[in-house]
Amino acid sequence: MTTSRWKVILTLFEEGDTNITKLSKKCSMRYDVLRSEIDFLEKKGIVEVISGESRAKVIRLNYSNPRS
């Protein structure tokens, strides 16, 4: 797994549920790069993307997956 993916996982572990904009700032990553990393992690079942009340999506670790 790449360093940027570990950074996303560690940040979510430390910060908890967050939106992609805040996660982008915390990880010091461009939005488009972070979006592709989140897509990969979601396909692997490591994170969940949840639609928020507005257009914002909340990202969180998938604790129901034994691999995460």
Side-chain angles (χ1 to χ4, degrees), residues 6-16 18 23 26-27:
W6 279 114
K7 190 180 231 183
V8 171
I9 293 168
L10 181 61
T11 303
L12 286 170
F13 182 76
E14 291 173 346
E15 301 291 323
T18 188
L23 189 59
K26 291 280 185 181
C27 292

Side-chain angles (χ1 to χ4, degrees), residues 8 19 26 34 44 48 58 60:
V8 171
N19 67 41
K26 291 280 185 181
L34 180 59
K44 295 293 183 183
E48 296 176 302
V58 175
R60 69 176 177 193

Side-chain angles (χ1 to χ4, degrees), residues 1-6 9 37 40-41 44 46 67:
M1 198 171 310
T2 65
T3 304
S4 58
R5 291 181 187 145
W6 279 114
I9 293 168
E37 297 295 3
F40 176 86
L41 293 170
K44 295 293 183 183
I46 298 170
R67 293 172 35 201

